[in-house]
Amino acid sequence: MEKHYTESKVKGVSTGTTILAAIFDGGVVIGSDSRASIGGEYVSSKTINKVVQVHDKIFCCMAGSLADAQAVIKTAKFQLSFHCVQMESPPLVIAAASVLKELCYKHKDELQAGFITAGWDKKKGPQVYVASLGGMLISQSVTIGGSGSTYIYGYVDAKYKPDMTREECQQFATNAIALAMGRDNVSGGVVHLVVITEKGVEHVVVPGDKLPRFHDE
């Protein structure tokens, strides 16, 4: 699988967060920090879980306005539930990503929100998609987003490998988000991770005092 990534950042969206998704051999890890900010300066909450389940094995990370993102996700969940009834089968990951993308693009003048969608389905296995207000939807093996992502391009380039084991990918995601949290003043708190494979979903929370340290903070 080709190694590439794009920062899921659009004007007015990626402020005060670090989000990431990466494919490993047999699954995908999606994760984020837990701080919510106002205007990229004032931290309004330290306990937000930005990794949201939209279906059984499909999750998304949100960046930008929290209220906008939550409204989009609520609508997307409803549409996907209706889609399941019509198709009589679970939705594909690309279907969920497309719903989020269409909602963002349709309301691009009113919204400030961007999403990373990750999951596993029987057709294509583990997948990661990036959606933005501009109507972009790109399939990638690894992607980063939010204000904290600007600090970890080098780490992602140097350390990501698409054939990593689950444990290696989970550690990679934890390290990357921890690095961003150490430099970005509005990324912080704990690391929320979700590991998605054919067998199911596992939620992992890494407390702040258990995060790896790479420099004096």
Side-chain angles (χ1 to χ4, degrees):
M1 184 177 295
E2 183 182 358
K3 173 186 174 183
H4 62 294
Y5 67 94
T6 298
E7 180 192 14
S8 57
K9 181 174 182 178
V10 295
K11 184 177 180 182
V13 170
S14 295
T15 55
T17 190
T18 301
I19 55 178
L20 174 149
I23 292 174
F24 63 89
D25 185 17
V28 60
V29 173
I30 184 169
S32 75
D33 69 312
S34 65
R35 279 187 184 172
S37 65
I38 297 176
E41 297 175 356
Y42 171 68
V43 176
S44 58
S45 176
K46 298 180 180 179
T47 58
I48 294 294
N49 184 1
K50 304 167 193 174
V51 185
V52 181
Q53 187 173 27
V54 294
H55 205 265
D56 293 347
K57 295 181 181 179
I58 306 174
F59 286 74
C60 71
C61 273
M62 49 191 178
S65 167
L66 185 61
D68 289 353
Q70 289 175 332
V72 170
I73 290 171
K74 183 177 180 180
T75 305
K77 284 183 176 180
F78 172 79
Q79 291 191 11
L80 286 173
S81 297
F82 187 66
H83 174 79
C84 289
V85 173
Q86 287 183 311
M87 303 300 294
E88 297 183 345
S89 64
L92 301 176
V93 180
I94 192 171
S98 296
V99 168
L100 288 168
K101 184 262 293 184
E102 290 295 333
L103 288 169
C104 287
Y105 184 67
K106 182 178 179 181
H107 303 284
K108 62 182 182 294
D109 294 331
E110 296 86 27
L111 296 178
Q112 288 187 330
F115 298 92
I116 294 173
T117 306
W120 187 98
D121 62 45
K122 292 183 178 179
K123 186 173 182 179
K124 292 186 177 180
Q127 299 151 71
V128 171
Y129 295 93
V130 179
S132 75
L133 291 178
M136 176 183 71
L137 184 63
I138 300 177
S139 174
Q140 301 188 297
S141 55
V142 60
T143 189
I144 54 178
S147 58
S149 66
T150 58
Y151 301 97
I152 57 175
Y153 284 126
Y155 180 82
V156 172
D157 269 340
K159 298 296 184 181
Y160 177 74
K161 298 179 180 60
D163 58 350
M164 288 190 291
T165 65
R166 170 180 170 154
E167 291 73 20
E168 289 172 338
C169 192
Q170 191 171 319
Q171 190 62 56
F172 161 79
T174 302
N175 290 349
I177 296 173
L179 279 166
M181 288 164 58
R183 295 297 185 185
D184 182 31
N185 66 319
V186 285
S187 293
V190 305
V191 171
H192 289 282
L193 298 176
V194 174
V195 183
I196 311 164
T197 64
E198 181 180 6
K199 295 180 179 179
V201 172
E202 180 183 353
H203 298 255
V204 179
V205 178
V206 185
D209 59 351
K210 301 296 184 182
L211 292 173
R213 303 281 180 173
F214 300 94
H215 51 79
D216 294 333
E217 299 175 350

